[in-house]
Amino acid sequence: DIVMTQSPDALAVSLGERATINCKSSQSVLYSSNNENYLAWYQQKPGQSPKLLIYWASTRESGVPDRFSGSGSGTDFTLTISSLQAEDVAVYYCQQYYNTPYTFGQGTKLEIK
Amino acid sequence: EVQLVESGGGLVKPGRALRLSCTASGSTFGDYAMSWFRQAPGKGLEWIGFITNKNYGGTTEYAASVKGRFTISRDDSKSISYLQMISLKTEDTAVYYCAKAGLRWYFDLWGRGTLVTVSS
């Protein structure tokens, strides 16, 4: 199984500041035949279901604010929120869909400082 | 706009069975691959399994933790996916979500979830 490890486990950032969450996979999730990284990011607000933010490591889902961006390749990935808003308080998960079982990171809890 | 609604959760004793439903609104349910996930209280997300659409034969695949006990099926005429669970264990206690797959196995629409509590 591919193990996904996020860092940090929790993060407190001031409003308007940048938030950065890291995700590392135990093996590459870059598929050589199409040069795509099979990596997605989700946001889960308290009491709600997960919401897709980013797929293919850097493609923003329709309707997601452009302050959210994804980067990285191979085994190391980053979710960046360029200017934190109060509504961004949530737990963020990365997920690999390179192969089954599809696995998630343990989550990063983002709070306002 | 497609929406997913899970139902069928509740309190069940260890060793018993339960069937969850995921009902989709919208007319294109048959085009989608569907997956099920769970989230134990205060924990992270766990993929349970998927079912492809009919173009891919309605193939299923499962996580090792549930293989042989959980079965995913679908009824496209009713726009429903089912999760049949047998031999339930206390560690199966979780909120169960269904989700629609995008072009690949990222999940672009999730239901609100249904809570399953396995306890004597």
Side-chain angles (χ1 to χ4, degrees):
Chain A
D1 298 2
I2 298 177
V3 177
M4 308 299 289
T5 304
Q6 292 180 226
S7 62
D9 291 333
L11 182 61
V13 174
S14 300
L15 290 173
E17 296 300 306
R18 178 185 299 261
T20 301
I21 298 170
N22 300 302
C23 174
K24 188 174 185 67
S25 56
S26 61
Q27 67 184 72
S28 177
V29 297
L30 174 63
Y31 197 43
S32 56
S33 66
N34 60 6
N35 202 37
E36 292 281 7
N37 287 283
Y38 283 50
L39 190 284
W41 288 96
Y42 299 86
Q43 175 193 64
Q44 187 176 31
K45 295 183 179 180
Q48 296 186 17
S49 57
K51 173 188 174 183
L52 177 67
L53 297 175
I54 303 283
Y55 56 96
W56 298 131
S58 61
T59 301
R60 198 178 303 113
E61 172 70 337
S62 176
V64 172
D66 61 6
R67 64 180 180 273
F68 291 91
S69 64
S71 62
S73 185
T75 61
D76 292 279
F77 301 90
T78 300
L79 175 70
T80 301
I81 308 172
S82 61
S83 177
L84 189 69
Q85 305 299 303
E87 60 265 32
D88 300 335
V89 168
V91 178
Y92 292 84
Y93 295 94
C94 60
Q95 176 232 333
Q96 66 79 20
Y97 48 100
Y98 184 85
N99 59 19
T100 58
Y102 304 127
T103 49
F104 293 84
Q106 79 278 17
T108 295
K109 187 174 184 179
L110 178 58
E111 299 175 322
I112 305 296
K113 184 187 292 184
Chain B
E1 179 182 328
V2 178
Q3 290 186 331
L4 302 175
V5 178
E6 301 92 340
S7 59
L11 176 62
V12 61
K13 294 183 186 306
R16 297 290 181 91
L18 196 64
R19 189 179 77 165
L20 306 182
S21 299
C22 170
T23 303
S25 61
S27 59
T28 57
F29 176 79
D31 295 340
Y32 309 144
M34 297 294 297
S35 199
W36 286 85
F37 300 83
R38 65 185 179 184
Q39 187 169 35
K43 302 298 184 182
L45 297 163
E46 180 186 11
W47 173 77
I48 292 172
F50 68 63
I51 185 164
T52 62
N53 64 23
K54 61 184 177 183
N55 293 335
Y56 289 87
T59 303
T60 56
E61 190 166 339
Y62 302 94
S65 59
V66 304
K67 193 172 184 178
R69 297 191 301 125
F70 290 12
T71 302
I72 299 172
S73 60
R74 63 190 300 155
D75 184 339
D76 291 345
S77 68
K78 297 180 179 178
S79 297
I80 299 178
S81 174
Y82 299 102
L83 178 64
Q84 177 70 52
M85 305 182 290
I86 65 171
S87 304
L88 282 162
K89 306 174 183 180
T90 55
E91 53 263 42
D92 294 320
T93 293
V95 175
Y96 284 74
Y97 297 100
C98 64
K100 165 189 164 294
L103 290 179
R104 289 293 185 272
W105 295 104
Y106 53 86
F107 301 96
D108 57 9
L109 181 67
W110 295 64
R112 292 186 177 183
T114 187
L115 176 63
V116 173
T117 303
V118 184
S119 175
S120 54

